[in-house]
């Protein structure tokens, strides 16, 4: 085109009333301009008029419906379009309203609600277009999936494409029957290009984006509506790391509005792949010809990644998921019914009955699951098998549909789509028997495939047999972990009679290190054995179960009799609410059910893995085996109270006090931090004769009556009774809120003022109690001289100073074993709590001999569980582990690394207004440029991290501080993963208003 953008503005301004905000927009072939409210379209010189007429007619037709699409803007003369000369060329020009919002390509995340809105909008569009017709709809174009074979045959770029083999396979799936099925479907006007640039979204603060509308009807054709569904699904799948889940949600939502038939459902997946393949070929052809059109290239990186990862996905599995999503019955229901009703007629696989065979419990929370879920010790499995079947005569069964953590740790690969899709559900039955045990065919069979499975580990021979026992019934059985020669001596197509021995169980080295067993699986797919998943991801379990049904009937066992347990979160939540108080709350908008932990990982009921950067109670890591052994050993000996002399009690008290300053030498052991703080207040009152207590704003010290009274976080919050007359609250030493130039003396001056006021009224302070580093107050690191001045004011007036070290003690700060060391003070009383026992109830109050003697007023001190044998054993082992594993050093190194990473993120994301902490005690203030707290944004971040399976909390007086306090086993790799996911969440559209 000869005209400049300015020229076009002048020309178009003669026909439309233009606003001042003039800009050029992207387009594949044509020019597009906008003045803010209106888009002006200048078509290429050779653009057929009927194509423009088609779009104008379509938008005019859709104006009668409540569908969010552009509206036609006539010229000042009332014309729908005009012709404008450009030298020797003539261009058709027309205008439409501009939709509000942002294109989907620039809008993350692709939430389920948005997927469903797009599907519902597409269904409404199809309904509205059902009676729309136009001659141009009959055109032939390269973006018509019915022309895909022509693309395959004509495209010179196909053979040179890096994914040529994959693309050929996709085109090959459009077999004659599939094309005939497609051609047989009724046609109507369809959009035909519902990609991520043709969908507009409303971006709303702190919530998922919403659909704003659909644009660009330039590729409309008359075709079966399933082509539109498949095209839209293809582009949506490119926007997410859970594409199959996205596909199912999209098709399910569409089917609610417009039910789909079986033919349409069966075509969605192959047509979606075809759309991507056609796009890949055209883009590669364009680049090879020197016309590297950016419009064509816009999705190609995502297309290539998707096709490399998902093009070979089992079609039966995908279709099963789509049938479930749309309410259709399983495709092979007749075969499934035959297996259930006639499976018992099969010949026994082994020369023994399995009816009374014991079952191995390898569930995530099962008694036979190895201790370490990250690197499972298979010797423990062998020991359990041997214990269940000592003489190897009965066999041992491993369960179908059982969630296991035994298949390796393929999670937390930052940026990889596999990070959240660990395979855990076993979809076969294992039978553990001695190596060499003969295996018989259950029915007349034909060898479908026979191979040795040694891709990563030696899993022995792998054989699949095909069975056709009745008209219309065909299925396959798979046998894994066989002797190598069992597979090597069979030929594909070979017949095997019912009851004939065709294989033998392999030895341990042919079982990938497992004790000898057979992996017996039933399949309704003709894929070769190496393409059968033996374990599947929980997100798609039900679809996989349609393809690989319960094999129990073929072992003469009742269906479901060898199946894993189910721990449904909804059921657990209902039971919890039935017998729990209404104010017993859970974390996160969607409650998380966890059934196992290891180091700084948590696992839910399906084996999904969560990075725990939140829980400080498992101080040395969840489920530490040394603590378990110490507790178990002590339970075997004795668990009693302190009315008896116990060496373990003395040993633990000595070990704990040895880490304290010399003056703190008397140790009271209790069961919880609340109980310990309650006792600390009693000690202070006995020592001073005063109950006047000074505490910090937003402080929290427990849930007993007295500790609630001194916890501003509780008594000033919802349902609180307000401040008691003997409680005096001072501001937190928070330099972010008060200003970095305010030092410890300035903060402590408020304590001096309270002491002076008390003295003027004839009273004196009993104690000053504070978390050394306030945690509930917002993960605050006080000025290093704060407690020196605070303690001086209190002590000069005769009061005592209590350091609540529940959050900061035992090496969490890295450089300092106790928080008060950072402050250069020695408290009169130190309170310790939950991390002491790594989850076992244990707390302590440590004080001076003088204060302990004043407490000895004649009333006996006794706590039934304080200092109990097992608690002391757990606490002593925690101290040893901190030393042996150098966890304080780890807290310093990893905490420093994480703090640096968070500060780097704060340079890109201004809402990370303050990053503070020490060791693995870290807080991130979420605030705007004026330091206004952003609690809703904070809640959004915490819950989105949870969606990505990274767990942190939030706190602070304004509930706007990200709280990061992981177990001290946290590693640099864990820190990198947290930073990667946090960066991803901060980039989401819902936070764009503050970034």
């Amino acid at each position: 085109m000869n005209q400049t953008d300015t020229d076009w503005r002048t020309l178009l301004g003669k026909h439309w009333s233009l606003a001042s905000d003039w800009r050029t927009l992207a387009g594949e072939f044509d020019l597009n301009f906008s003045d803010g409210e209106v888009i002006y379209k200048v078509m290429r010189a050779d653009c057929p008029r009927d194509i423009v007429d088609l779009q104008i007619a379509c938008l005019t037709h859709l104006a009668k419906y409540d569908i969010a699409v552009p509206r036609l803007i006539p010229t000042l003369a009332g014309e729908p379009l005009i012709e404008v000369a450009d030298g020797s060329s003539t261009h058709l020009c027309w205008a439409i309203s501009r939709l509000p919002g942002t294109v989907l390509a620039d809008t993350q995340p692709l939430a389920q609600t948005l997927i469903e809105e797009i599907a519902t909008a597409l269904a409404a569009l199809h309904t509205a277009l059902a009676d729309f017709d136009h001659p141009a709809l009959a055109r032939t174009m390269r973006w018509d999936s019915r022309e895909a074979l022509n693309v395959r045959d004509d495209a010179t770029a196909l053979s040179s494409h890096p994914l040529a083999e994959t693309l050929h396979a996709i085109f090959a799936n459009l077999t004659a029957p599939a094309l005939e099925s497609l051609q047989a479907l009724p046609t109507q006007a369809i959009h035909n290009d519902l990609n991520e640039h043709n969908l507009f979204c409303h971006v709303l603060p702190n919530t998922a984006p919403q659909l704003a509308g659909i644009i660009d009807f330039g590729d409309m054709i008359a075709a079966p509506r399933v082509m539109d569904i498949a095209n839209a699904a293809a582009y949506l799948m490119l926007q997410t790391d859970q594409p199959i889940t996205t596909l199912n949600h999209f098709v399910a939502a569409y089917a609610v509005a417009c039910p789909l038939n079986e033919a349409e459902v069966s075509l969605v997946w192959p047509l979606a792949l075809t759309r991507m393949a056609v796009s890949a070929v055209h883009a590669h052809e364009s680049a090879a010809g020197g016309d590297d059109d950016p419009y064509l290239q816009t999705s190609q990186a995502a297309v290539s990644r998707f096709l490399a990862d998902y093009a070979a996905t089992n079609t039966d599995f995908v279709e099963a998921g789509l049938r479930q999503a749309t309410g259709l019955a399983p495709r092979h229901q007749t075969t499934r019914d035959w297996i259930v009703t006639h499976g018992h007629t099969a010949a026994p696989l082994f020369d023994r009955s399995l009816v009374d065979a014991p079952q191995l419990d390898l569930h995530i929370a099962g008694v036979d699951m190895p201790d370490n879920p990250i690197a499972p010790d298979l010797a423990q499995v062998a020991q359990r098998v041997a214990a269940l079947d000592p003489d190897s005569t009965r066999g041992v069964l491993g369960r179908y549909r059982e969630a296991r953590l035994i298949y390796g740790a393929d999670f937390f690969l930052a940026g990889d789509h596999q990070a959240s899709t660990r395979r855990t559900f076993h979809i076969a039955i294992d039978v553990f028997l001695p190596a060499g045990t003969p295996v018989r065919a259950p029915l007349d069979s034909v060898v479908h495939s026979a191979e040795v499975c040694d891709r990563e580990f030696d899993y022995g021979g792998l054989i699949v047999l095909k069975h056709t026992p009745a008209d219309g019934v065909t299925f396959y059985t798979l046998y894994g972990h066989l002797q190598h020669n069992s597979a090597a001596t069979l030929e594909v197509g070979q017949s095997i009679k019912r009851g004939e021995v065709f294989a033998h169980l392999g030895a341990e080295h042919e079982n990938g290190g497992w004790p000898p067993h057979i992996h017996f699986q039933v399949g309704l797919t003709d894929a070769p054995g190496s393409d059968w998943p033996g374990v599947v991801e929980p997100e798609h379990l039900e679809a996989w179960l349609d393809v690989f049904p319960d094999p129990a009937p073929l072992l003469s066992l009742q269906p479901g009799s060898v199946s894993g347990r189910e721990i449904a979160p909804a059921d657990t939540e209902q039971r919890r609410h039935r017998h729990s108080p209404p104010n017993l709350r859970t974390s996160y908008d969607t409650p998380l059910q966890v059934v196992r932990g290891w180091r700084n990982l948590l696992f839910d009921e399906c084996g999904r893995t969560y990075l725990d950067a939140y829980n400080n109670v498992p101080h040395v890591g969840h489920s530490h085996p040394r603590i378990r052994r110490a507790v178990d050993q002590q339970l075997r000996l004795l668990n009693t109270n302190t009315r008896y002399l116990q060496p373990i009690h003395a040993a633990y008290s000595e070990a704990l006090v040895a880490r304290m300053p010399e003056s703190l030498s008397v140790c009271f052991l209790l069961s919880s931090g609340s109980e310990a703080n309650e006792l600390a207040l009693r000690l202070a009152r006995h020592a001073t004769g005063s109950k006047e207590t000074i505490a910090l704003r937003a402080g929290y010290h427990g849930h007993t009556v007295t500790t609630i009274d001194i916890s501003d976080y509780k008594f000033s919050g919802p349902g609180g009774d307000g401040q008691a007359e003997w409680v005096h609250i001072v501001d937190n030493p928070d330099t972010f809120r008060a200003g970095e130039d305010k030092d410890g003396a300035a903060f402590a001056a408020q304590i001096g003022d309270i002491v002076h006021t008390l003295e003027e009224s004839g009273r004196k302070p009993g104690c000053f109690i504070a978390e050394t580093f306030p945690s509930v107050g917002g993960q605050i690191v006080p000025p290093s001289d704060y407690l020196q001045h605070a303690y001086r004011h209190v002590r000069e007036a005769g009061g005592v100073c209590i350091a609540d070290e529940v959050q900061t003690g035992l090496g969490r700060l890295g450089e300092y074993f106790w928080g008060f060391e950072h402050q250069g003070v020695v408290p009169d009383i130190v309170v310790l709590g939950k991390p002491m026992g790594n989850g076992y109830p244990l707390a302590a109050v440590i004080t001076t001999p003088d204060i302990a003697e004043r407490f000895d007023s004649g009333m006996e001190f006794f706590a039934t569980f304080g200092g109990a044998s097992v608690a002391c054993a757990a606490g002593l082992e925690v101290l040893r582990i901190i030393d042996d594993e150098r966890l304080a050093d780890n807290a310093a190194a990893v905490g420093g690394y994480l703090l640096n990473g968070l500060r780097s993120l704060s340079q890109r994301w201004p809402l990370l207004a303050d990053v503070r902490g020490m060791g693995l005690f870290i807080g991130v203030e979420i605030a705007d440029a004026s330091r206004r707290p952003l609690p809703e944004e904070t809640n959004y971040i915490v819950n989105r991290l949870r969606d990505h399976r990274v767990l942190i909390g939030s706190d602070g007086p304004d509930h706007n501080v990200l709280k990061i306090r992981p177990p001290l086993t946290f590693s640099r790799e864990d820190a990198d993963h947290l930073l990667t996911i946090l960066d991803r969440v901060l980039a989401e559209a819902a936070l764009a208003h503050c970034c």
Side-chain angles (χ1 to χ4, degrees):
M1 295 183 185
N2 298 319
Q3 305 285 354
T4 66
D5 290 357
T6 302
D7 293 336
W8 281 114
R9 180 177 183 180
T10 301
L11 287 169
L12 295 172
K14 297 176 181 178
H15 302 278
W16 284 275
S17 178
L18 305 184
S20 59
D21 185 16
W22 186 261
R23 67 187 68 178
T24 303
L25 306 177
E28 183 176 4
F29 300 113
D30 310 308
L31 289 180
N32 294 280
F33 304 101
S34 173
D35 64 357
E37 298 297 325
V38 178
I39 293 176
Y40 303 91
K41 304 181 73 66
V42 179
M43 313 308 290
R44 63 191 182 276
D46 60 346
C47 178
R49 186 183 181 99
D50 62 345
I51 300 304
V52 180
D53 287 340
L54 167 63
Q55 295 176 70
I56 291 173
C58 176
L59 293 180
T60 303
H61 176 82
L62 292 176
K64 299 180 295 183
Y65 297 87
D66 184 20
I67 297 176
V69 297
R71 297 297 185 236
L72 185 68
I73 308 296
T75 66
L76 295 173
E79 298 295 328
L81 78 162
I82 60 171
E83 293 186 5
V84 175
D86 177 24
S88 61
S89 302
T90 301
H91 299 275
L92 299 173
C93 302
W94 54 299
I96 56 176
S97 63
R98 182 169 186 171
L99 293 182
T102 307
V103 294
L104 178 64
D106 298 330
T107 308
Q108 288 295 326
L110 182 60
Q112 181 176 339
T113 52
L114 179 55
I115 294 168
E116 292 170 349
E117 288 174 5
I118 295 169
T120 302
L122 181 60
L125 181 65
H126 286 166
T127 300
L129 292 175
D131 61 348
F132 173 73
D133 196 15
H134 191 279
L137 288 172
R139 60 180 163 161
T140 299
M141 65 182 309
R142 64 180 182 174
W143 293 113
D144 185 337
S145 294
R146 294 169 296 184
E147 302 294 319
L149 296 189
N150 294 330
V151 175
R152 178 197 65 185
D153 295 337
D154 297 342
T156 57
L158 180 56
S159 59
S160 63
H161 196 286
L163 295 174
E165 185 176 342
T166 298
L167 297 175
H168 276 295
I170 291 171
F171 288 129
N173 282 337
L174 278 182
T175 58
L179 286 173
E180 288 174 6
S181 175
L182 179 60
Q183 296 286 7
L185 292 172
T187 63
Q188 68 161 83
I190 67 170
H191 184 282
N192 198 38
D193 193 23
L194 209 62
N195 64 48
E196 69 274 25
H197 295 276
N198 290 336
L199 291 164
F200 269 69
C201 300
H202 292 297
V203 176
L204 305 175
N206 309 315
T207 190
Q210 298 175 359
L211 183 66
I214 299 171
I215 68 167
D216 194 353
F217 290 78
D219 286 337
M220 288 184 70
I221 57 173
R225 61 179 181 171
V226 68
M227 281 174 46
D228 233 4
I229 297 168
N231 293 345
Y235 291 113
L236 289 175
M237 287 190 288
L238 297 180
Q239 307 300 307
T240 174
D241 60 0
Q242 292 288 326
I244 306 302
T245 300
T246 295
L247 174 69
N248 289 337
H249 286 323
F250 178 73
V251 175
Y254 182 96
V256 169
C258 292
L260 298 170
N261 60 42
E262 294 202 9
E264 290 173 313
V265 169
S266 69
L267 285 166
V268 168
W269 177 245
L271 287 175
L273 292 179
T274 299
R275 179 66 170 215
M276 291 191 219
V278 169
S279 174
V281 171
H282 288 325
H284 192 64
E285 190 173 43
S286 173
D291 180 19
D292 201 2
D293 187 336
Y295 190 88
L296 277 175
Q297 303 300 327
T298 185
S299 299
Q300 289 314 299
V303 167
S304 295
R305 284 195 302 269
F306 181 91
L307 294 180
D309 290 339
Y310 292 99
T313 301
N314 186 290
T315 302
D316 292 310
F317 150 69
V318 179
E319 185 175 338
L322 290 171
R323 293 178 75 91
Q324 290 174 358
T326 54
L328 296 177
R331 187 158 62 93
H332 301 286
Q333 189 60 54
T334 300
T335 301
R336 295 164 63 87
D337 292 342
W338 189 95
I339 292 171
V340 170
T341 56
H342 297 88
H344 65 279
T345 63
L349 294 190
F350 309 103
D351 295 331
R352 69 194 76 190
S353 171
L354 298 173
V355 173
D356 296 321
Q359 296 184 18
L360 194 66
D361 185 0
L362 290 176
H363 184 267
I364 299 159
V367 295
D368 300 321
M369 171 66 198
D371 296 334
N372 185 343
I374 305 305
D377 182 0
L378 295 180
Q380 292 183 336
V381 177
Q383 291 167 4
R384 291 298 302 154
V385 169
L388 290 169
D389 188 17
D391 54 5
S392 300
T393 57
R394 303 167 63 195
V396 174
L397 301 176
R399 296 166 176 162
Y400 173 77
R401 195 178 180 171
E402 181 171 63
R404 300 174 174 178
L405 287 177
I406 207 165
Y407 298 107
D410 55 344
F411 45 76
F412 294 153
L413 306 176
D416 191 300
H417 74 273
Q418 293 293 335
S420 59
T421 56
R422 186 183 189 189
R423 297 180 303 122
T424 56
F425 272 94
H426 184 245
I427 53 172
I429 288 179
D430 296 321
V431 183
F432 293 86
L433 287 167
T437 299
V439 183
R440 300 181 182 276
L443 301 164
D444 289 344
S445 316
V446 172
V447 176
H448 182 66
S449 66
E451 53 196 306
V452 174
C453 191
D454 58 356
R455 291 179 177 177
E456 185 174 359
F457 302 102
D458 185 350
Y459 286 121
L462 184 67
I463 296 173
V464 175
L465 302 181
K466 179 180 179 181
H467 312 285
T468 54
D471 289 343
V473 173
T474 297
F475 64 93
Y476 304 81
T477 52
L478 177 145
Y479 310 81
H481 308 306
L482 304 171
Q483 291 178 352
H484 289 168
N485 62 3
S486 293
T489 56
L490 293 178
E491 295 183 1
V492 173
Q494 177 180 338
S495 295
I496 299 175
K497 292 294 186 182
R498 176 182 182 277
E500 179 182 344
V501 173
F502 69 95
H504 294 80
L505 263 61
E508 185 173 297
H509 74 274
E510 295 164 308
N511 280 259
W514 286 67
H517 71 290
I518 193 168
H519 173 98
F520 180 59
Q521 191 169 347
V522 173
L524 309 181
T525 178
D526 61 359
S530 56
D531 288 340
W532 285 36
V535 188
V536 299
E537 63 277 11
E539 287 74 17
H540 303 297
L541 174 63
E542 296 305 319
W544 283 118
L545 295 183
D546 268 359
V547 182
F548 300 104
D550 186 357
L554 293 172
L555 297 174
S556 295
L557 302 171
Q558 289 297 314
S561 63
V562 191
S563 292
R565 72 180 79 175
E566 291 192 35
I567 310 176
D571 180 58
T572 301
E573 187 173 13
Q574 185 180 40
R575 291 165 58 200
R576 171 188 171 115
H577 289 325
R578 190 179 303 142
H579 301 294
S580 298
N583 56 350
L584 180 65
R585 299 187 176 97
T586 55
S587 296
Y588 309 112
D589 293 344
T590 301
L592 173 63
Q593 175 172 263
V594 293
V595 298
R596 194 180 187 93
W598 182 259
R599 291 174 64 84
N600 37 275
L601 301 176
L602 290 170
F603 305 94
D604 71 8
E605 70 286 346
C606 292
R608 301 181 188 93
T609 309
Y610 295 78
L611 179 64
D612 186 0
Y614 184 23
N615 288 292
N616 65 328
V617 177
H619 194 66
V620 299
H622 293 280
S623 307
H624 201 295
R626 283 178 55 177
I627 295 175
R628 190 203 67 190
R629 288 194 295 269
V631 167
D632 181 64
Q633 180 179 353
Q634 188 60 49
L635 277 172
R636 291 169 183 267
L637 295 174
L638 175 71
N639 188 26
T640 190
N641 57 57
T642 52
R643 293 196 187 279
Y644 303 93
L645 296 176
Q646 298 179 71
I648 188 69
H649 175 264
Y652 180 53
S653 300
E654 290 171 349
L656 193 57
V657 167
R659 296 170 184 267
M660 288 286 172
E662 186 176 352
S663 61
L664 297 170
S665 59
V666 180
C667 180
F668 298 81
L669 295 179
L670 303 117
S671 301
S672 73
S674 297
E675 187 182 6
N677 273 319
E678 184 87 22
L679 176 60
L681 294 173
R682 288 179 61 198
L683 289 170
R685 291 173 184 178
H686 275 271
T688 64
S690 172
K691 69 182 294 187
E692 305 294 335
T693 301
I694 303 172
L696 294 182
R697 194 169 310 282
Y700 174 68
H701 299 283
H703 62 81
T704 64
V705 171
T706 308
T707 55
I708 290 288
D709 283 343
I710 65 166
S711 297
D712 175 66
Y713 172 75
K714 289 292 187 181
F715 69 68
S716 293
D721 293 332
Q723 186 172 333
E725 182 272 337
W726 52 273
V727 175
H728 311 277
I729 297 300
V730 297
D731 291 335
N732 269 310
D734 183 349
T735 56
F736 176 77
R737 284 175 171 77
E740 288 79 356
D741 57 344
K742 192 170 183 179
D743 61 11
F747 281 114
Q750 197 175 10
I751 297 174
D753 292 342
I754 289 175
V755 169
H756 179 69
T757 301
L758 287 172
E759 289 176 331
E760 285 187 335
S761 63
R763 295 176 291 170
K764 70 175 184 178
C767 68
F768 167 61
I769 182 169
E771 294 176 278
T772 313
F773 284 22
S775 180
V776 170
Q779 299 293 99
I780 294 168
V781 179
S784 59
D785 61 342
Y786 170 66
L787 287 187
Q788 295 175 29
H789 296 287
Y791 282 16
R792 175 175 54 79
H793 288 303
V794 174
R795 283 171 171 164
E796 286 178 353
V800 299
C801 299
I802 304 172
D804 185 333
E805 288 275 347
V806 172
Q807 302 290 342
T808 51
L810 298 170
R812 174 162 294 280
L813 300 182
E815 183 179 350
Y816 302 98
F817 200 79
W818 309 111
F820 60 76
E821 293 175 331
H822 168 265
Q823 293 285 298
V825 297
V826 176
D828 302 299
I829 301 171
V830 175
V831 175
L832 304 176
K834 41 200 171 190
M836 296 175 67
N838 212 60
Y840 196 93
L842 179 61
V845 174
I846 303 173
T847 189
T848 65
D850 178 59
I851 290 176
E853 287 175 10
R854 296 190 202 183
F855 185 61
D856 186 9
S857 61
M859 180 186 294
E860 178 191 16
F861 169 75
F862 176 69
T864 301
F865 298 109
S869 321
V870 174
C872 290
L876 186 58
E877 199 63 26
V878 166
L879 294 178
R880 291 169 176 165
I881 291 168
I882 292 172
D883 291 342
D884 294 347
E885 298 185 8
R886 301 175 62 89
L887 292 183
D889 291 343
N890 185 69
V894 175
Y897 179 79
L898 180 54
L899 280 164
N900 287 336
L902 289 166
R903 287 172 180 139
S904 293
L905 285 183
S906 71
Q907 299 301 307
R908 286 213 316 281
W909 306 111
L911 82 167
L912 305 185
D914 188 49
V915 176
R916 54 183 177 252
M918 185 174 295
L920 289 172
F921 179 94
I922 295 173
V924 182
E925 190 99 18
I926 307 300
D928 64 15
S930 63
R931 298 197 174 189
R932 179 177 62 89
L934 299 174
E936 293 182 2
E937 285 76 4
T938 305
N939 183 64
Y940 178 86
I941 292 169
V942 169
N943 279 283
R944 287 296 294 141
L945 287 172
R946 177 251 185 267
D947 293 341
H948 285 282
R949 301 180 191 167
V950 174
L951 306 180
I952 67 169
S954 63
D955 241 323
D958 299 301
H959 307 286
N960 71 309
V961 179
L962 302 181
K963 180 168 58 177
I964 302 172
R965 304 169 314 175
L968 299 194
T969 53
F970 212 69
S971 68
R972 282 195 174 212
E973 291 75 18
D974 299 324
D976 283 335
H977 186 69
L978 189 159
L979 292 167
T980 297
I981 300 303
L982 178 58
D983 188 35
R984 189 180 302 173
V985 169
L986 293 172
E988 291 182 352
L991 297 174
H993 64 285
C994 53
C995 292

